[in-house]
Structures are given as structure tokens and as C-alpha cells.
Amino acid sequence: MKAYILGCLTLLFWRIRADFSNEDCWVLGFNKAALLCSSCDLLDNFNLGSTLREPCLECCHHDDNVSVTKKYAKAILEVCTCKFGAYPQIEAFIKSDRPSKFSNLQIKYIRGLDPIIKMMDKDGHIQETVAIEKWNTDSVEEFLNTHLELDVAEPDYLKTNMI
């Protein structure tokens, strides 16, 4: 509660001054280094736009400065089937037809593991590991669409119906 009151007081003080530092943003619950201005638009989805829009816009940086999205050649989604009850969205993704859209996605079942996605280069070396336990099926698919390269392997003539 003390932190909340301190945050509100800081907000009022900085609203007058309107020059937020990294520390000021942190007190308000924003990470100035990682906050994109497009994220401030999402506050309305949670009925927070009227209260937090101004400090959010003071703490964000514009999206056009963001570097190009890194693409990976392969991905492995690892999860334990015993944890499907705790992660029904991940189970729904795996059991749907969505994984078949990604020929360079492999699903591995590893006992006791919370769901993660390992992104790999063309040689199979792990470049990045992402925890996905709080993601829904659409988030997993969007992440893979964004960060996974299209598989340019030989076309499967049985699937393409080509002679």
C-alpha cells in the first residue's frame, strides 16, 4: 500500500514536471527501457487508459526505433503432458492443427517441464529460450509466425498436389 501511495504522489509530482526518469517510471510500474508506445494503447483493454495513459506515454519510446525482428530456422516446443491441466491453452495449441502449419516446429514431451519454446539457428544451436506458460493458443501461433522462418525445404509433392 505504501508503494502505491508513493507511486501516486510521484505521478502527481511528475505530472507537473513531465520529465520522467528511468527510476520514476519504475516506481510507477513501467520499464522505460522496454516500454513501447504502442503498448500504451492496450491499457484501454483493461480500463486503465484514463489513469495510466499519460505516465505510460511519458515512459515509452516510439516503436519505429525498434530493430528488425529476429527470425530463427527451427523451434522446439517442450512441455510435460502431466502439466496439461495447468496449461490448457498450450494443450489446446498442441492438439489442434496449428502446429502442422510450421514444418520446422518440433514438439517434445519432457517429464516435469513447464512449457517453453527453444528457438534455434539452421545448425540446430539454441539461440533463445522463451517461457510460454502464460500464453494462449493465439499468442503461441503469433510468436511462431513472427519469429520462425518459413521452411524452404523441398516441397512435399503429396501435400502440394503437384506432379
Side-chain angles (χ1 to χ4, degrees):
M1 186 66 178
K2 249 183 181 177
Y4 177 74
I5 293 171
L6 178 62
C8 289
L9 290 174
T10 304
L11 174 63
L12 289 173
F13 173 75
W14 287 110
R15 191 173 258 181
I16 296 167
R17 191 163 172 247
D19 187 21
F20 286 44
S21 69
N22 288 337
E23 293 79 25
D24 299 327
C25 292
W26 189 256
V27 168
L28 295 170
F30 298 114
N31 182 350
K32 189 170 185 168
L35 182 62
L36 297 175
C37 291
S38 62
S39 301
C40 298
D41 297 334
L42 300 175
L43 291 170
D44 290 331
N45 295 346
F46 305 99
N47 297 324
L48 297 171
S50 61
T51 330
L52 297 176
R53 179 173 308 283
E54 282 187 48
C56 183
L57 291 172
E58 290 291 330
C59 292
C60 71
H61 56 89
H62 296 284
D63 300 24
D64 55 5
N65 295 337
V66 178
S67 62
V68 177
T69 303
K70 184 153 171 78
K71 297 274 190 178
Y72 299 95
K74 303 173 191 172
I76 300 175
L77 190 158
E78 296 181 349
V79 66
C80 176
T81 56
C82 66
K83 297 209 175 184
F84 275 171
Y87 306 113
Q89 293 289 333
I90 304 303
E91 177 185 17
F93 175 82
I94 291 171
K95 291 185 175 182
S96 72
D97 65 336
R98 293 179 185 204
S100 64
K101 297 176 185 174
F102 307 98
S103 59
N104 45 353
L105 170 67
Q106 180 183 3
I107 297 174
K108 280 189 179 178
Y109 300 101
I110 299 178
R111 185 173 173 85
L113 186 68
D114 289 331
I116 59 172
I117 295 178
K118 292 181 178 177
M119 305 304 290
M120 300 183 300
D121 61 15
K122 63 180 170 45
D123 298 323
H125 299 108
I126 298 170
Q127 300 297 309
E128 185 177 352
T129 301
V130 181
I132 60 168
E133 63 266 0
K134 298 201 187 277
W135 292 13
N136 62 29
T137 53
D138 293 334
S139 299
V140 175
E141 184 174 18
E142 181 180 346
F143 177 81
L144 293 172
N145 278 326
T146 303
H147 295 286
L148 199 55
E149 293 176 352
L150 293 174
D151 191 16
V152 291
E154 295 271 328
D156 184 349
Y157 292 108
L158 293 176
K159 289 184 179 177
T160 62
N161 216 14
M162 295 173 56
I163 297 177

